[in-house]
């Protein structure tokens, strides 16, 4: 490192922001640092990041944080207690289960759904989009027609029908949502591919003798990643809402699993007298979705200053 | 969905006609393949995913001969592509199967329940557009101000709140606590048997027939779910309005209009908004389509007898033909509105016309 011993902080900053990076690592870190500078200047975006980090931590340490069992309640002594009751901060539900503990364990399910949908749908979209964009011709036409067809479908209703046919369960809900959410990623990946396809560095790689697969995987896909990450982050809120909707309809996780949407559904029966049972999980969904939306907005502004100017 | 946007400006009338025909054919292909795709998906969901559709219909106590006969009758012994053709012919002739739950043909059921959904979604879109566009314009004109931030947060919240939860909370406040709105449902029991719908849109029907007490009752039923849906439309419409308006306000013709000495109000509402209106129309159509879909979850909470309630009731009773029929109808309308927004954009923006 070329950091000066007298001012290490200043030196590291200069090293990161250098216009003539000496190594690949320096260039990469420098770029990441610039993105972080732009991102951290946006207060709302940092708040969103904080919410998501909190969600991850809560999900990891659910066992330590939750004061009660998420599935076993105290039917005799703690049914439908209002929020603020000693020992039950957010109250209890109709089976005497602590709502706070259920929310804490439910964060695992939310994270599970979001991550799994992203892991399934994003690579599929990326592959379809880059292959279509790079190959061109009839392959492009066919792949994009299929993408457009899926893009024109109503997502929630289709996920509903898929989940109904596959049977209730959180894995099936994930599959149903993933099937309906890959097309926008394919569109984005294709658009990015078209912009780099005829650039000099691709021509150089081709000249060296790289196979089309290698070009697509190693040289085109990385260029699509940043816009894809932004889009996936922005979609996370929608995925959470769809999953919660499926849970609300009884098509997601099955009782007694503490899935937030299903919790709202079970609290619906006594919304008029015990409002907290249905209200608390909704607030949790809202906060997490808002976190993802703020994070996504911030990432978009940070990764693509052009777009952010609008 | 490229129609004829990239066609070079041909001069002769023959070339123009050919370009038009080419664009038309391309658009026709888009329509046909999209609908075929939708039918393929519903076919796939209904016939391929269940391990044995016969078992789903007859139950597991049926005799072997009954199962074999049902297989033949349902065409399950045919190759898959023939089954699909059979399915196509059925759907195209308006046969969506019979609902196990209501014992009616699914088509009849849907014709009965669809107007309720249509009325709700239309109400929501009107609310969303009437409030969302002025809010978006305000946010764009006062960019960076407190008003802009508030509009942004209102919009972001709309993207983050589960609609069925907001519906429950709304019901808790406006019905249970404040008593401002009517009990869930479409119309009071007192009117249910005396009121004769004409179009199926109750609000319109009541006004046509001059039954103002009924109209008021219907309004008290629709106002809460309609406004809730409207909020979600507002979130989308205001966000897009802001973005389109910012785009227009940065153009040179705005500077020219201001330099000419026009009142700021006229510059914003007549000059800028008029140009922003072209993409906005497509946004409004798309938001209408998403409300038709979004009403599924709202209808359950409000016991609204629309297609959303129909599908979910069917779902809970394993009535697959009704579920798929409803999916097909919502999907078809959704696709049609998508295509319409495409057509409208081309029709309204002179720059995309074939010269």
């Amino acid at each position: 490192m070329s950091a000066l011993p007298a001012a290490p902080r200043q030196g590291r900053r200069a090293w990161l922001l250098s216009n003539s990076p000496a190594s690949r690592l320096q260039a990469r870190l420098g770029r990441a640092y610039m993105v972080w500078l732009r991102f951290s200047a946006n207060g709302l975006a940092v708040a969103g990041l904080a919410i998501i980090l909190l969600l991850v931590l809560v999900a990891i340490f659910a066992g330590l944080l939750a004061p009660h069992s998420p599935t076993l309640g105290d039917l005799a002594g703690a049914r439908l207690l209002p929020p603020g009751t000693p020992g039950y901060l957010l109250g209890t539900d109709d089976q005497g289960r602590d709502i706070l503990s259920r929310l804490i364990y439910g964060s695992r399910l939310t994270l599970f759904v979001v991550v799994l949908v992203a892991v399934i749908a994003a690579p599929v979209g990326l592959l379809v989009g880059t292959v279509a964009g790079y190959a061109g011709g009839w392959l492009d036409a066919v792949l994009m027609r299929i993408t457009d067809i899926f893009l024109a479908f109503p997502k929630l209703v289709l996920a509903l029908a898929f989940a109904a046919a596959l049977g209730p369960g959180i894995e099936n809900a994930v599959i149903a949502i993933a099937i309906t959410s890959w097309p926008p990623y394919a569109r984005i990946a294709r658009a990015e591919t078209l912009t780099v396809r005829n650039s000099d560095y691709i021509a150089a790689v081709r000249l060296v003798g790289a196979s089309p697969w290698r070009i697509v995987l190693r040289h085109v896909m990385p260029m699509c990643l940043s816009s894809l990450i932004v889009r996936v982050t922005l979609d996370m809120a929608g995925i959470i809402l769809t999953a919660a909707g499926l849970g609300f309809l009884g098509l997601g996780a099955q009782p007694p699993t503490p899935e937030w949407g299903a919790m709202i559904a079970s609290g619906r029966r006594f919304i008029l007298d015990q409002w907290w049972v249905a209200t608390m999980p909704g607030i949790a969904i809202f906060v997490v979705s808002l976190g993802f939306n703020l994070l996504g907005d911030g990432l978009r502004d940070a990764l693509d200053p052009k777009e952010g100017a609008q | 969905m490229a129609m004829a946007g990239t066609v070079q400006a041909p001069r002769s009338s023959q070339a123009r006609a050919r370009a038009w025909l080419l664009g038309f054919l391309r658009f026709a292909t888009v329509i046909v393949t999209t609908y075929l795709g939708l039918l393929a998906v519903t076919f796939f969901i209904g016939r391929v995913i269940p391990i044995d559709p016969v078992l789903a219909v007859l139950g597991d106590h049926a005799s072997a001969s009954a199962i074999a006969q049902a297989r033949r009758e349902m065409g399950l012994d045919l190759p898959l592509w023939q089954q699909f053709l059979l399915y196509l012919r059925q759907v195209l002739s308006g046969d969506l199967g019979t609902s196990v739950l209501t014992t009616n043909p699914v088509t009849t059921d849907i014709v009965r329940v669809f107007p309720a959904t249509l009325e709700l979604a239309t109400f929501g879109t009107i609310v969303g557009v009437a409030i969302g566009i002025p809010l978006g314009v305000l946010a764009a004109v006062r960019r960076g101000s407190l008003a802009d931030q508030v509009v942004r947060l209102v919009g972001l919240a709309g993207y983050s709140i589960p609609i069925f939860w907001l519906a429950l909370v709304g019901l808790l406040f406006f019905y249970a606590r404040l008593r401002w709105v009517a009990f869930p449902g479409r119309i009071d029991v007192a009117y249910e048997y005396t009121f004769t719908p004409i179009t199926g849109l109750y609000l319109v029907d009541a006004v046509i027939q001059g039954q103002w007490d009924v109209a008021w009752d219907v309004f008290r039923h629709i106002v809460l779910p309609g406004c809730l849906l409207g909020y979600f439309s507002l979130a989308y419409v205001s966000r897009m309005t802001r973005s389109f308006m910012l785009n227009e306000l940065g153009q040179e013709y705005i500077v020219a209009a201001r330099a000419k000495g026009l009142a700021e109000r006229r510059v914003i509402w007549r000059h800028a908004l008029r140009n922003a209106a072209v993409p906005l129309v497509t946004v409004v159509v798309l938001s209408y389509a998403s409300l038709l879909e979004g009403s599924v979850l709202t209808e359950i909470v409000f016991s609204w007898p629309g297609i959303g309630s129909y599908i979910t009731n069917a779902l809970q009773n394993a009535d697959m033909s009704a579920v798929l029929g409803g999916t097909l109808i919502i999907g078809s309308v959704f696709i049609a509105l998508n295509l319409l927004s495409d057509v409208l954009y081309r029709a309204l923006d002179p720059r995309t016309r074939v010269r």
Side-chain angles (χ1 to χ4, degrees):
Chain A
M1 257 201 253
S2 62
L4 295 168
R9 228 187 109 72
Q10 200 62 37
R12 201 174 300 148
R13 197 180 140 83
W15 181 76
L16 281 170
L17 293 177
S18 162
N19 271 331
S20 47
S23 68
R24 222 178 247 202
L25 179 74
Q26 187 185 356
R28 254 181 219 159
L29 285 177
R31 199 178 134 61
Y33 183 63
M34 298 232 294
V35 169
W36 168 249
L37 280 184
R38 275 199 297 264
F39 181 82
S40 56
N42 182 344
L44 283 175
V46 175
L49 182 65
I51 292 174
I52 303 312
L53 285 179
L54 198 70
L55 173 79
V56 174
L57 288 177
V58 166
I60 293 174
F61 298 110
L64 294 174
L65 289 168
H68 297 274
S69 156
T71 47
L72 289 173
D74 179 3
L75 261 176
R79 261 191 98 231
L80 294 166
L81 292 175
T85 312
Y88 301 102
L89 192 63
L90 298 182
T92 58
D93 66 4
D94 57 322
Q95 304 199 28
R97 295 174 297 201
D98 179 38
I99 293 180
L100 178 64
S101 306
R102 282 176 71 70
L103 288 184
I104 288 174
Y105 274 97
S107 63
R108 286 186 172 171
L109 291 173
T110 302
L111 217 53
F112 173 81
V113 168
V114 162
V115 168
L116 217 57
V117 169
V119 164
I120 298 172
V124 171
L126 187 62
L127 192 69
V128 171
T130 45
V131 167
Y134 187 76
W138 64 268
L139 191 59
D140 180 30
V142 170
L143 285 178
M144 279 304 114
R145 198 75 279 283
I146 294 172
T147 308
D148 278 347
I149 288 172
F150 268 88
L151 209 55
F153 289 164
K155 277 176 78 167
L156 176 74
V157 174
L158 213 60
L160 211 92
F162 267 115
L166 293 167
I170 196 150
E171 296 85 4
N172 290 342
V174 166
I175 295 172
I177 299 172
I179 288 174
T180 53
S181 49
W182 63 269
Y185 309 143
R187 279 244 146 242
I188 290 171
R190 177 172 177 271
E192 294 283 328
T193 307
L194 288 183
T195 60
V196 298
R197 189 183 156 192
N198 295 321
S199 57
D200 290 343
Y201 84 92
I202 295 287
V205 181
R206 200 179 299 140
L207 215 58
V208 170
S211 69
W213 275 111
R214 191 184 166 84
I215 296 177
V216 166
L217 286 173
R218 296 292 300 274
H219 301 277
V220 174
M221 275 191 187
M223 304 307 285
C224 309
L225 280 183
S226 69
S227 19
L228 202 69
I229 288 171
V230 171
R231 182 61 200 243
V232 169
T233 317
L234 282 170
D235 277 359
M236 295 258 174
I239 294 168
I240 291 176
L241 293 183
T242 311
L246 291 178
F248 181 70
L249 295 175
L251 289 172
Q254 292 303 296
T257 331
E259 200 270 325
W260 293 347
M263 283 172 74
I264 298 181
S266 72
R268 191 186 148 198
R269 274 175 295 142
F270 17 84
I271 178 90
L272 297 185
D273 299 310
Q274 284 87 22
W275 55 269
W276 57 89
V277 183
T279 314
M280 296 302 175
I283 295 174
I285 298 173
F286 170 55
V287 169
V288 171
S289 308
L290 191 66
F292 274 116
N293 270 328
L294 292 174
L295 179 68
D297 265 10
L299 275 181
R300 184 186 54 201
D301 294 356
L303 288 171
D304 191 356
K306 262 194 327 255
E307 186 89 3
Q310 281 220 340
Chain B
M1 293 186 200
M3 206 165 77
T6 52
V7 176
Q8 303 283 314
R11 294 271 175 250
S12 74
S13 66
Q14 198 186 358
R16 202 189 308 164
R18 192 183 301 150
W20 189 88
L21 190 70
L22 212 69
F24 178 79
L25 279 180
R26 208 173 289 170
F27 193 61
T29 324
V30 167
I31 294 177
V32 170
T33 48
T34 312
Y35 275 101
L36 272 182
L38 178 66
L39 284 164
V41 169
T42 49
F43 169 76
F44 180 76
I45 295 175
R47 294 286 173 90
V48 185
I49 292 183
I51 300 139
D52 193 343
V54 175
L55 222 59
V57 174
L58 294 181
D60 42 7
H61 293 300
S63 68
S65 63
I67 289 177
Q69 194 189 346
R71 279 194 86 78
R72 259 197 314 280
E73 278 172 12
M74 291 168 76
L76 289 173
D77 47 351
L78 300 172
L80 210 55
W81 64 270
Q82 280 187 14
Q83 287 187 45
F84 182 59
L85 286 183
L86 217 63
Y87 175 72
L88 272 188
R89 211 170 60 198
Q90 261 178 27
V91 171
L92 289 181
S93 63
D95 176 13
L96 294 175
T98 307
S99 162
V100 183
L101 193 61
T102 62
T103 67
N104 292 331
V106 173
T107 322
T108 321
D109 279 345
I110 286 175
V111 168
R112 182 169 47 83
V113 297
F114 194 67
T117 301
L118 198 67
E119 188 176 26
L120 193 59
T122 311
F123 193 98
T125 306
I126 291 172
V127 170
V129 169
I131 304 175
I133 290 183
L135 276 187
V137 171
L138 180 79
V141 172
R142 305 230 179 114
R143 184 178 170 192
S145 71
L146 184 70
D148 186 16
Q149 298 291 340
V150 170
V151 171
R152 179 161 175 237
L153 275 179
V154 166
L156 265 180
Y159 281 97
S160 313
I161 297 180
I163 190 165
F164 50 94
W165 177 77
L166 198 63
L168 278 173
V169 174
L171 212 55
L172 178 65
F173 273 100
F174 295 109
Y175 166 67
R177 296 281 148 90
L178 296 171
R179 297 259 160 210
W180 284 1
V181 299
F183 187 76
R186 242 188 127 184
I187 188 166
D188 201 273
V189 199
Y191 297 114
E192 197 159 349
Y193 297 100
T194 54
F195 177 66
T196 42
I198 307 167
T199 56
L201 309 173
Y202 283 9
L203 210 51
V204 177
D205 294 343
V207 171
I208 292 176
Q209 298 177 32
Q211 295 173 308
W212 298 105
D213 53 333
V214 181
W216 173 241
D217 180 67
V218 170
F219 179 75
R220 270 167 45 93
H221 279 92
I222 201 176
V223 68
L224 187 56
C227 285
L228 281 174
L229 278 178
Y231 173 53
F232 290 89
S233 161
L234 178 157
Y236 180 46
V237 169
S238 67
R239 194 178 194 166
M240 300 314 281
T241 307
R242 178 181 181 273
S243 152
F244 295 147
M245 278 299 282
L246 281 180
N247 206 10
E248 295 302 327
L249 288 173
Q251 305 277 333
E252 282 179 359
Y253 74 87
I254 295 292
V255 180
R258 281 183 182 143
K260 216 161 61 169
L262 284 185
E264 188 64 16
R265 213 179 50 204
R266 204 177 160 79
V267 173
I268 291 164
W269 294 100
R270 290 297 296 271
H271 290 239
L273 187 60
R274 233 195 144 114
N275 282 301
V278 174
L280 259 184
V281 169
T282 68
V283 164
V284 170
V285 172
L286 288 180
S287 106
Y288 190 53
S290 74
L291 282 200
L292 277 179
E293 190 201 15
S295 68
V296 170
L297 288 167
T298 320
E299 283 179 8
I300 307 159
V301 177
F302 287 98
S303 314
W304 194 262
I307 200 161
S309 295
Y310 181 69
I311 291 182
T312 40
N313 276 337
L315 238 152
Q316 267 137 23
N317 292 283
D319 187 355
M320 256 342 245
S321 348
V323 172
L324 289 177
T327 308
L328 202 59
I329 296 304
I330 292 190
S332 307
V333 177
F334 195 87
I335 291 171
L337 286 173
N338 258 308
L339 295 170
L340 177 72
S341 80
D342 213 43
V343 172
L344 275 179
Y345 186 79
R346 280 162 209 289
L348 290 176
D349 190 345
R351 281 168 302 187
T352 59
R353 260 174 226 155
V354 180
R355 275 175 295 267

